[in-house]
Amino acid sequence: MDIQTILFTFFGGLGIFLFGIKYMGDGLQKIAGDRLRDLLDKFTSNPFMGVLVGIIVTILIQSSSGTTVLTVGLVSAGFMTLRQAIGVIMGANVGTTVTAFIIGIKLEEYALPIIFIGTVMIFFFKNKKVSNIGQTFFGFGSLFFGLSLMGDGVAPLEELPAFNDLTISMSNNPLLGLLVGVIFTVGLQSSSATIGLLQELYTQNAISLDAALPILFGDNIGTTVTAVIAAIGASVAAKRTALTHVIFNLIGATIVLILLVPYTAFISFLQDALNLNQPMTIAFAHGIFNISNVIIQLPFVGALAYIVTKLVPGSDEEIEYKPKHLDPSFIYQSPAIALDQAKLETLRMADYAGRGLRKSESYLETKNKKDAEKIVRYEEAINNLDKDITDYLIGISARSLSKENSRKHSVVMDTVRDIERVGDHMENVMELVDYQLTNKVTLSEEAYKDLNEMFTLTISTFNRAVEALEKDDYEIAQQVARQEEDIDKMERKLRKKHILRLNEGRCSGSAGIVFVDMISNLERIGDHSVNIAETVLDDREVS
């Protein structure tokens, strides 16, 4: 083959291989659905369980980086402690070796039929589940087809003196091989792709086992870069989790480099004893290395957590998705106490909505992306608490309730729904600011002044409504009703001012859309605020 054919074949194969891994992982993730997050949330009670869950999730999504990102999100949300997250990261390192074992099975000759089966399932079946399975098959077949093309592309390297010299250098200097592994993985942003390429090079006899193993260990270090990049500018929890990944893999690579000679001899022994083909030999080397690394470091999870906490000091604003007050035992022992607990949790949910509203106002003014990230986290926390409180209230409703408790039950249920809707409108405002940034929409100074005025009144009204609910205060509830009328009047007034600016050419059509939608969302928040306050007013009138 000429050089152009070699390059086209190799890079085309690499592209198909990367696409196959991503497409297969996406298909598996769709099949698993929200159960992945639930799996990480519920079954990581200790580091050992975290390792098992990390293995399973990484196998399902075919990405250790993806598992790490999910884990970072759960740590940031308060669903998972740093100690639990370390276990999941260790498991992710083991789970990512499965791809190498799949490649070791050598299914290249069946790649095209597998792609065809996947295509049929995607295009000729309307059932979503079948389509997701088809996507997984298509990605699986593409992985092997890409691998076959990569093999054809690297086969001529065996005859290149320069490449042979590099291989000899890596055999004599393991640190060079380690560096090559790091660079390749950082460049490709996929440890599976680097290992797949390494397996093909070894299959084509273009590289020796002595040179291949250091590259393999460098790959483990390189895969941490994705998490590090993701953690730049992120929360303290995200930075600590990413640093844990780096330290864990660096320690493992250091240990195995010290023991490289006996480890290489051990892998050679396994290759002969088990009659392993070249790709499977690399897979075994990768698997044994990662499993051993976990076994060695798992007892020191506490120490690792302590080290990263010291290296990355500081604390985040705490946003806990999990409820604090919903004890199921109260449902059976005393429904009245259970209702009080549900109200306390609802007030927590309202506090998040209030914080999120303030962040929405800040995002409009500063356009700081960190504000947007916080809003998303508040909205996720609100939605999660909405689900948990609603389930708790459904459990209470199954009990025998007095007339008074039945009324309280309805009040809390309605309030939870109103707060959840406030969260939605808060997110809508954030998305309007995103639209403004994306489409370079400029609002006039007068429009900003009007929006700030309406934000101030709306936030005040919502906070007063929550205060009225918390204190059961009739006077404050009446104030909320009056303020909500002021919000309605302000919304009508600002619409008229906007039309005037539009007619005078001081406002563009796209800016007008942003402005009108924002004041509309704020007006709706006022409606939900008065709904919350009316529960107090109705209660006083009934009594």
Side-chain angles (χ1 to χ4, degrees):
M1 286 194 289
D2 59 88
I3 188 68
Q4 178 180 303
T5 305
I6 290 171
L7 290 175
F8 283 12
T9 304
F10 171 72
F11 285 111
L14 178 61
I16 294 170
F17 179 84
L18 289 169
F19 171 79
I21 289 177
K22 178 75 169 61
Y23 205 60
M24 180 173 68
D26 288 348
L28 288 166
Q29 200 163 355
K30 286 175 187 174
I31 294 167
D34 293 333
R35 284 172 289 183
L36 286 178
R37 190 183 178 109
D38 291 341
L39 195 68
L40 283 166
D41 174 22
K42 294 176 182 175
F43 300 102
T44 54
S45 54
N46 58 63
F48 177 73
M49 286 300 296
V51 170
L52 294 180
V53 170
I55 292 170
I56 293 166
V57 172
T58 306
I59 290 170
L60 286 175
I61 66 175
Q62 285 295 297
S63 170
S64 57
S65 298
T67 304
T68 305
V69 169
L70 276 172
T71 305
V72 166
L74 288 168
V75 173
S76 298
F79 269 110
M80 190 185 290
T81 65
L82 181 61
R83 287 170 64 96
Q84 291 170 321
I86 292 171
V88 175
I89 287 169
M90 288 180 175
N93 272 35
V94 176
T96 197
T97 65
V98 171
T99 308
F101 281 99
I102 291 171
I103 292 169
I105 298 170
K106 297 289 285 180
L107 294 174
E108 282 97 328
E109 58 191 278
Y110 303 106
L112 293 176
I114 293 171
I115 290 172
F116 175 74
I117 292 168
T119 304
V120 169
M121 294 175 82
I122 292 169
F123 285 97
F124 297 100
F125 289 87
K126 292 184 179 180
N127 185 290
K128 204 167 187 179
K129 191 172 182 180
V130 175
S131 180
N132 291 336
I133 294 170
Q135 181 175 337
T136 305
F137 267 89
F138 188 93
F140 187 67
S142 298
L143 183 154
F144 280 103
F145 182 59
L147 199 65
S148 177
L149 290 176
M150 281 167 62
D152 292 340
V154 299
L157 290 177
E158 184 188 2
E159 300 168 10
L160 286 178
F163 190 81
N164 287 329
D165 291 343
L166 177 63
T167 302
I168 293 167
S169 298
M170 287 189 291
S171 300
N172 296 331
N173 186 357
L175 288 176
L176 177 62
L178 192 80
L179 183 63
V180 169
V182 171
I183 292 169
F184 261 88
T185 307
V186 170
L188 297 177
Q189 285 292 294
S190 170
S191 58
S192 297
T194 308
I195 292 165
L197 173 59
L198 195 61
Q199 287 172 302
E200 283 302 318
L201 286 168
Y202 189 42
T203 300
Q204 302 294 339
N205 297 315
I207 193 169
S208 66
L209 186 63
D210 288 343
L213 292 185
I215 297 174
L216 191 66
F217 310 139
D219 154 77
N220 264 47
I221 297 171
T223 195
T224 66
V225 172
T226 307
V228 171
I229 292 169
I232 293 172
S235 65
V236 171
K239 289 174 182 172
R240 285 174 180 165
T241 308
L243 183 59
T244 298
H245 197 192
V246 174
I247 292 173
F248 172 73
N249 284 15
L250 275 174
I251 290 172
T254 302
I255 292 170
V256 80
L257 277 178
I258 292 169
L259 302 172
L260 184 59
V261 174
Y263 188 74
T264 306
F266 173 65
I267 296 301
S268 295
F269 167 75
L270 282 181
Q271 184 177 19
D272 295 334
L274 301 177
N275 196 25
L276 302 175
N277 61 31
Q278 286 99 327
M280 195 60 84
T281 302
I282 298 295
F284 264 81
H286 193 213
I288 292 168
F289 162 60
N290 279 292
I291 292 168
S292 302
N293 196 19
V294 169
I295 292 170
I296 291 167
Q297 295 195 57
L298 189 58
F300 303 102
V301 165
L304 199 52
Y306 176 80
I307 290 167
V308 295
T309 303
K310 289 296 181 184
L311 290 173
V312 185
S315 59
D316 287 319
E317 180 185 2
E318 195 173 349
I319 303 176
E320 286 193 30
Y321 288 32
K322 284 186 176 179
K324 286 184 174 181
H325 305 100
L326 305 183
D327 188 338
S329 63
F330 286 134
I331 294 175
Y332 304 99
Q333 293 169 5
S334 174
I337 294 176
L339 282 168
D340 288 338
Q341 295 301 105
K343 182 179 176 180
L344 282 173
E345 203 60 58
T346 303
L347 289 170
R348 266 190 76 227
M349 182 180 171
D351 179 55
Y352 285 154
R355 292 195 215 175
L357 277 174
R358 290 192 293 275
K359 285 293 178 187
S360 296
E361 183 182 25
S362 174
Y363 188 40
L364 174 65
E365 291 178 4
T366 65
K367 307 296 188 291
N368 188 331
K369 281 294 181 183
K370 284 191 177 182
D371 288 333
E373 289 168 11
K374 276 281 172 65
I375 293 165
V376 171
R377 288 177 60 200
Y378 282 130
E379 167 64 358
E380 287 176 351
I382 290 166
N383 288 341
N384 199 72
L385 289 175
D386 169 41
K387 178 179 175 296
D388 287 336
I389 296 169
T390 301
D391 290 345
Y392 193 73
L393 290 169
I394 289 169
I396 294 172
S397 67
R399 310 295 295 168
S400 179
L401 300 176
S402 65
K403 187 177 179 181
E404 172 63 16
N405 284 337
S406 291
R407 190 200 61 77
K408 280 185 178 178
H409 183 278
S410 297
V411 165
V412 178
M413 185 73 88
D414 290 343
T415 302
V416 167
R417 186 174 64 247
D418 279 305
I419 294 170
E420 192 278 328
R421 293 296 296 137
V422 168
D424 290 342
H425 291 297
M426 164 190 89
E427 190 175 37
N428 289 346
V429 172
M430 180 201 77
E431 288 169 354
L432 286 165
V433 178
D434 286 339
Y435 173 85
Q436 185 189 351
L437 288 169
T438 304
N439 295 280
K440 296 181 172 58
V441 175
T442 304
L443 295 176
S444 66
E445 284 187 25
E446 188 180 353
Y448 273 116
K449 184 180 175 184
D450 290 343
L451 283 170
N452 287 334
E453 187 181 349
M454 192 163 180
F455 252 114
T456 301
L457 180 58
T458 303
I459 291 171
S460 169
T461 304
F462 177 74
N463 289 339
R464 297 294 277 171
V466 174
E467 187 182 356
L469 175 71
E470 183 178 7
K471 296 178 179 177
D472 197 26
D473 192 305
Y474 185 79
E475 295 296 327
I476 296 175
Q478 284 186 315
Q479 289 177 26
V480 172
R482 289 193 293 271
Q483 282 184 279
E484 194 274 333
E485 289 177 6
D486 291 339
I487 290 174
D488 288 345
K489 288 176 186 175
M490 184 180 288
E491 197 248 356
R492 289 193 293 271
K493 174 186 161 188
L494 296 185
R495 277 181 183 272
K496 287 177 183 177
K497 287 178 72 176
H498 157 66
I499 291 169
L500 189 63
R501 285 196 298 269
L502 202 61
N503 290 337
E504 292 175 353
R506 291 185 290 132
C507 174
S508 67
S510 54
I513 292 169
V514 171
F515 181 83
V516 170
D517 282 357
M518 277 191 185
I519 62 172
S520 177
N521 276 284
L522 293 174
E523 189 273 332
R524 294 294 297 136
I525 290 170
D527 291 343
H528 292 294
S529 300
V530 83
N531 288 347
I532 295 168
E534 279 176 351
T535 60
V536 178
L537 296 173
D538 294 343
D539 182 33
R540 186 65 60 88
E541 288 164 9
V542 169
S543 59

